[in-house]
Amino acid sequence: MKRILLVILLGIGLNAFAQSQTQDKSITKNSIITGGSFSLGKNEFLLNGKPFLIRAGEIHFPRIPREYWDQRIKLCKAMGMNTICIYLFWNYHEQEQDKFDFAGQKDVAAFVKLIQKNGMYCIVRPGPYACAEWDMGGLPWWLLKKKDLKVRTLDDAFFMERSAKYLKEVGKQLAPLQIQNGGNIIMVQVENEYAAFGNSTEYMEATRKNVKAAGFDKVQLMRCDWASTFDYYKVNPEVATTLNFGAGSDIDKQFKAFKEQNPDAPLMCSEYWTGWFDNWGRPHETRSVNSFIGSLKDMMDRKISFSLYMAHGGTTFGQWGGANSPPYSAMVTSYDYNAPIGEQGNTTDKFFAVRDLLKNYLNPGEVLADIPAQMPLMEIPKIKFTQAAPLFQNLPLGKKSVDIKPMEMFNQGWGRINYRTNLKASAAPRKLIITELHDWAEIFIDGKLIGKLDRRRADNTIEIPATKANAVLDILVEATGRVNFGEAIIDRKGITEKVEINDGKTTTTLQNWTVYNFPVDHAFQAKHKFSAQTPNGPAWYKAKFNLTSTADTYLDMSSWGKGMVWVNGYNIGRFWKIGPQQTLFMPGVWLKKGENEIIVLDLEKPAEASIVGLKTPIIDKIKPDASLLSRKAGQELKLANEKPILTSSFDDAKGWKDVTFDVAYNGRYVCFEALSAQQANDITTSIAELQFVGVDGKPISTQKWKIIYADSEEITAANNAADRVYDNQESTMWSSQFVGGKTKHPHQIVIDFGQEVSIKGLRYLPRSDKSKNGMVKEYRIYLKATPFQL
Ligand code: GLA
Ligand code: CA
């Protein structure tokens, strides 16, 4: 009740403040939205029958505290947007099967109405799949309780039935807000970048029907895909096609093929990536203002509609961060995205660049809205944690299980899980082999930490010392986000298959486990027995702190290890000392005047159990980690005795290049060697994507790929590691180092396919921005059944 009152008071306060600023001229009679029509015309969108250029900004309401929604919407409007684009995440609204929740922070209808109140239109993207660096791309974890689950396909009736049911619930919330019904929703998206996953026309059609049946029967439907994939499946003609691409793209090139096939269609970039998301252990991603603004101007000059993804990223609070794979790489808590509006709702250089650009392209009579006030920030003096509760002294009730199982099978969605069993006596050390570890583990014998395993490195084996009979083995696993993109999206957590022990002679599967579940809800964390102590292993830490006033702040976690933080019951997200994110955004509206409570779960021992609140975020401080490089110190690839299967060269055009070999070749290890670059004097190599084509004419699966060697990688100045060549993201790339280091041709990359394959060709995608730096000219391909000599 108290909180509700606070929200209301705050809301009134902000409104009064906005009104007291100069009068907002953009809210003219015309911009009060009371429904109307929206449809496709010849080469343009039609709003109430008149040409309409969509200038949209994407923001995600779960990533913004409800009290701040209005300020963020106003910022988008002030930047020059006339539309807000939103996702819904199915797993956010149906956290337990059949329990739908659209209240409070999850009240999407209230959010869309607020957009309408601000005189803006709305594009809704309900999924059922979203991607968005969100756990499982928005699909609910409980689907995974079905052992043979398949998603985004007609091959799984359960998935289709559940997703239709979810869409129906979305319809109940939002169908009344279709523009034809008096609301502001001008388009609803079907699925999301489906061609990056599948090519079933029938699945897409069934999902379109489900969206319509949910009540979105009047509104214009759309879908989004890529310039290189939009024709992988057919789409019902009533669904508009829009394309997604990144900052600095060549606009004519992006729309070329689509325009040829659809000469009358209006053009829209439905996700113009303003920046990019960050992964734990990888450098903070940025996209320069210049390259970003350049292509935005190109779109404006060509009257191409756009949506900025993200206009404002916000924060992936709680357990909601996703991951990419292969290789497995989880997302950080901040979703700042290097977007025009910073994580705290702050204006940036990019923000003003967009505003300055768009003011030249407004419709007659249209005026840019005023910029709303910035949210205040504050510092919090050092909070010292004196109370702690060691994890192993606070185990919940254990569950017995003969075989090991992933956490979903114990009805746990997120968090940590401890698997315990007894070992036989052994005088000699043995190997413990885990299949598969999702995602990070600490291994203990009789309470003593033996080591840590990390899925990012595909770690799966650890040496266990000699033990007496009945030694207690504990495997404490932390789940760091379900894969949200691509084939690997079925990503159960904990240990998915088995744990074996190998004594040098025989391999035995361990059984008879006691399993302890550590979910992420606040009530669970708060109930432990806290006392004054300094634990040595995984533990909860608790502190109280007093505030005389509240405002936004960034909690500095840099002296802590790996875990999660709850403040006044709010789960504000994950931290991990490896960076690049060192601070957690703490919204002032979730703080209180007077006493506040903070609980930290740290699976490692903090260097110092204290936290200060800062006024500036630290999201770009990476701990350099040589073990992530694909070249060990001193390694040199020896190709002198190898015979290439192909020596050739590429032209300097952008876009995918297909190369077909004369015959098919068999092998498991491939080396791509760049001998020269397109530009004279360019000593670097960059590659956005590499695919190898099987005898069936289709690219072979990348699921088992591993980079064995790359002579040079840029992993500090930018996120240009060698594995970016097979992350299936066209806007990310491998680049040889451009700051210091060895930057001379030849540049080589060696990939282990994980199994012997037969290949008939390759596909190469040069970097997808306008820059030609590093673009490959002459190259050689080597293929072998056995590893290359290093
Ligand atoms: C794609 C998806 C989005 C998001 C971006 C990357 O375009 O459609 O949901 O994942 O990639 O940020
Ligand atoms: Ca890539």
Side-chain angles (χ1 to χ4, degrees), residues 87 130-133 192-193 244 271 273 276-277 309 335 337:
Y87 271 129
C131 199
E133 291 67 74
N192 188 76
E193 290 189 343
N244 299 348
E271 286 184 26
W273 302 317
W276 199 247
F277 53 86
Y309 189 102
Y335 203 58
Y337 213 83

Side-chain angles (χ1 to χ4, degrees), residues 687-689 723-734:
I687 298 181
E689 287 287 302
D723 53 37
R724 304 289 91 174
V725 305
Y726 72 99
D727 65 356
N728 198 12
Q729 297 280 8
E730 298 188 351
S731 70
T732 64
M733 61 181 176
W734 163 47

Side-chain angles (χ1 to χ4, degrees), residues 69-77 114-115 118 120:
W69 287 353
D70 192 56
Q71 191 247 7
R72 306 301 199 261
I73 293 167
K74 288 193 161 68
L75 279 164
C76 290
K77 183 159 186 170
L114 195 57
I115 296 169
N118 277 287
M120 298 178 83

Side-chain angles (χ1 to χ4, degrees), residues 170-346:
V170 176
K172 284 184 200 160
Q173 300 295 321
L174 297 182
L177 302 177
Q178 294 171 92
I179 189 164
Q180 295 81 355
N181 290 345
N184 59 336
I185 299 176
I186 53 174
M187 286 207 276
V188 172
Q189 182 177 296
V190 182
E191 248 280 350
N192 188 76
E193 290 189 343
Y194 174 61
F197 183 83
N199 60 3
S200 160
T201 296
E202 296 73 26
Y203 164 71
M204 205 44 193
E205 185 55 7
T207 306
R208 180 192 67 85
K209 284 185 184 151
N210 287 344
V211 169
K212 276 203 115 149
F216 298 110
D217 49 357
K218 301 186 184 116
V219 73
Q220 176 64 48
L221 299 180
M222 60 170 274
R223 56 118 180 193
C224 70
D225 266 302
W226 301 343
S228 57
T229 61
F230 72 88
D231 54 1
Y232 280 15
Y233 60 91
K234 283 206 189 61
V235 71
N236 190 295
E238 73 163 21
V239 179
T241 292
T242 63
L243 302 179
N244 299 348
F245 48 80
S249 292
D250 181 328
I251 300 307
D252 296 326
K253 175 95 199 165
Q254 285 291 338
F255 285 103
K256 190 168 178 277
F258 177 71
K259 249 168 120 168
E260 278 164 15
Q261 294 181 36
N262 305 275
D264 290 341
L267 302 184
M268 176 168 185
C269 173
S270 38
E271 286 184 26
Y272 181 51
W273 302 317
T274 57
W276 199 247
F277 53 86
D278 284 348
N279 300 259
W280 291 116
R282 304 279 190 143
H284 174 51
E285 296 270 9
T286 57
R287 298 293 183 268
S288 82
V289 176
N290 280 346
S291 76
F292 160 74
I293 280 292
S295 306
L296 187 60
K297 180 173 187 307
D298 292 347
M299 284 195 271
M300 292 313 293
D301 289 340
R302 288 159 181 74
K303 295 199 164 57
I304 295 174
S305 290
F306 68 83
S307 179
L308 302 182
Y309 189 102
M310 300 293 292
H312 165 60
T315 311
T316 314
F317 296 108
Q319 72 281 8
W320 294 111
N324 278 181
S325 177
Y328 180 80
S329 181
M331 310 318 173
V332 304
T333 301
S334 170
Y335 203 58
D336 178 86
Y337 213 83
N338 198 226
I341 302 163
E343 181 174 8
Q344 189 245 350
N346 51 297

Side-chain angles (χ1 to χ4, degrees), residues 55-57 76-84 120 306 308 354 358:
R55 306 188 307 260
C76 290
K77 183 159 186 170
M79 196 160 51
M81 306 299 127
N82 55 26
T83 304
I84 299 282
M120 298 178 83
F306 68 83
L308 302 182
V354 177
L358 294 184

